[in-house]
Amino acid sequence: MLQMDPMRPLDPALPITPQLTQRLRDRIIRNHLKPGDRISETEIAKVYDVSRQPVREAFIKLADQGLLLIRPQRRTVVSRIAYQDVLDARFLREAIEADIVRLLAKTRDDALIGTLRAQIELQKRVHADDLETFTQLDEQFHRMLADAVGKAGTWSFVEGVKAQMDRVRFLSLFDYPMALLIEQHTQIVDAVEARDLDRAEENARQHLRLMLDYLPGVIAANPSFFDLPEGGLAPSVNTPTLGGEYT
């Protein structure tokens, strides 16, 4: 039987389906459940001590996010990482966050700047081996940017479409340069504080393009995890730079 963190029971006072969906989503994104792993409604229901109905609903939601492949009357398996979905999610996220930091730079809030710098200090204190904590802080940093300009709903939308991108990020955690990510966060805040709209946008774009440098290596190290297009890897198309050219 798959070990689904049985020491963390679901909260019966809260809706069960969203809890199950998030719990299973986290385990797939963190590759605790790997592409090709089989899971069943009966098994999950037993682990979490719930009926099969909320499990079925959670499976459907995860299938909609491209994380599960449901084969009626046969089996449900964890899907492979769709390469094109990774590129699409990163493209979308860059476009959205570039506009978010422009808005922040235009309406600079000194209290927010202080809060962001304090959050970056927390990132700097994370031990090099504690990549899970750093990832949580990184996610929090980007969510704070969206919340600050009243775009919490937009960030929720981004979270819903970037599941495949997050799976790649967890596969590449040990290769990601934590110090560089922190420096890029600092550069974004510096530009926002200086009210330099163009620099803030460009810093955000460069930050979100970093994963493209690591993607081919992650695929080469984990080829069975990915659903690749016929003919090999397609080139990534980014949003345009401020000069108007695609890079």
Side-chain angles (χ1 to χ4, degrees):
M1 173 177 288
L2 296 172
Q3 292 302 307
M4 301 287 185
D5 49 357
M7 299 305 293
R8 296 178 55 216
L10 302 177
D11 186 344
L14 298 174
I16 296 300
T17 297
Q19 292 184 75
L20 270 176
T21 303
Q22 188 62 51
R23 195 74 65 85
L24 294 173
R25 184 182 189 275
D26 286 346
R27 293 187 68 77
I28 294 171
I29 285 174
R30 285 166 170 75
N31 301 296
H32 299 158
L33 290 173
K34 297 178 173 58
D37 282 352
R38 299 176 60 172
I39 59 176
S40 72
E41 292 178 9
T42 301
E43 183 178 23
I44 301 301
K46 184 175 181 180
V47 169
Y48 288 108
D49 193 23
V50 297
S51 70
R52 290 179 58 179
Q53 182 60 34
V55 177
R56 184 176 300 115
E57 293 170 357
F59 277 17
I60 291 171
K61 291 180 182 296
L62 292 169
D64 288 342
Q65 295 179 26
L67 297 176
L68 289 181
L69 179 60
I70 300 175
R71 296 167 174 164
Q73 309 304 320
R74 294 176 60 191
R75 61 178 181 172
T76 295
V77 299
V78 177
S79 69
R80 290 191 292 180
I81 301 171
Y83 173 74
Q84 190 58 51
D85 286 354
V86 173
L87 298 186
D88 289 346
R90 196 221 57 80
F91 182 96
L92 176 64
R93 184 175 176 184
E94 178 186 323
I96 290 173
E97 292 203 45
D99 278 352
I100 284 174
V101 297
R102 283 190 74 89
L103 287 171
L104 284 174
K106 185 176 182 179
T107 60
R108 189 190 73 182
D109 182 325
D110 290 339
L112 172 65
I113 297 298
T115 300
L116 291 171
R117 292 202 184 282
Q119 210 271 358
I120 290 173
E121 287 303 312
L122 292 178
Q123 296 173 29
K124 292 178 180 178
R125 295 174 194 164
V126 175
H127 193 275
D129 293 336
D130 192 0
L131 298 173
E132 287 269 353
T133 297
F134 180 79
T135 299
Q136 292 170 7
L137 289 171
D138 176 70
E139 192 86 356
Q140 184 184 69
F141 176 81
H142 288 274
R143 186 183 301 111
M144 289 168 65
L145 298 177
D147 288 348
V149 290
K151 299 299 180 182
T154 301
W155 179 255
S156 295
F157 171 75
V158 170
E159 284 187 310
V161 300
K162 70 184 183 71
Q164 304 285 33
M165 183 178 171
D166 286 342
R167 294 172 80 183
V168 172
R169 182 170 62 167
F170 274 94
L171 280 174
S172 61
L173 275 182
F174 288 99
D175 295 322
Y176 254 49
M178 190 183 298
L180 177 57
L181 293 174
I182 294 172
E183 176 59 26
Q184 290 180 335
H185 289 165
T186 302
Q187 290 172 353
I188 291 170
V189 176
D190 287 346
V192 169
E193 185 174 31
R195 295 188 177 180
D196 189 333
L197 277 65
D198 287 349
R199 184 157 61 94
E201 176 183 338
E202 185 62 21
N203 288 345
R205 290 189 185 281
Q206 293 302 323
H207 177 59
L208 291 167
R209 291 175 187 179
L210 183 62
M211 77 162 294
L212 294 175
D213 295 336
Y214 293 87
L215 184 55
V218 172
I219 294 172
N222 306 275
S224 64
F225 279 43
F226 287 84
D227 182 10
L228 301 176
E230 291 185 11
L233 302 186
S236 171
V237 178
N238 290 312
T239 44
T241 63
L242 294 176
E245 295 182 355
Y246 286 83
T247 61

